[in-house]
Amino acid sequence: MNEGTPKISNIVLRNIVLDTYAGNAVFIAGLPESMIENVRLENVSAIGKYGLKAYNIKSLEMINVSVTSREDEDYQFHRADLTR
């Protein structure tokens, strides 16, 4: 990581309903060297060609979240720390 590496934190996505045929229902990805910190999904209902993909996240909180994928797994996590 250097001075040009972004730092993203404290994201809240709330009260979202969506249906997409082209891509991921939800896609949140930080960099391996600069993980996104403190992400909260609340009251999210999403349907997509692919489901929720969360990569390189420190502290992902999901409250009342429902994701459905038409073609693969509903939820995929890689280096994502789920909190309750």
Side-chain angles (χ1 to χ4, degrees):
M1 181 156 58
N2 62 41
E3 67 276 353
T5 305
K7 175 118 173 95
I8 300 170
S9 62
N10 303 322
I11 298 169
V12 177
L13 300 172
R14 180 181 293 133
N15 301 327
I16 298 172
V17 177
L18 67 92
D19 187 347
T20 179
Y21 285 87
N24 296 299
V26 179
F27 185 84
I28 304 169
L31 300 172
E33 67 275 15
S34 181
M35 296 174 77
I36 297 174
E37 295 184 20
N38 302 323
V39 176
R40 179 180 178 138
L41 303 178
E42 184 176 345
N43 299 325
V44 175
S45 176
I47 302 170
K49 181 175 182 178
Y50 308 109
L52 179 147
K53 295 182 182 173
Y55 305 139
N56 302 313
I57 301 173
K58 285 184 186 177
S59 185
L60 171 61
E61 184 178 14
M62 299 194 317
I63 300 166
N64 193 31
V65 174
S66 172
V67 176
T68 303
S69 169
R70 290 186 177 89
E71 294 195 12
D72 67 358
E73 298 175 43
D74 292 337
Y75 300 90
Q76 294 181 28
F77 302 102
H78 178 70
R79 290 188 68 208
D81 303 322
L82 297 173
T83 61
R84 302 276 176 218

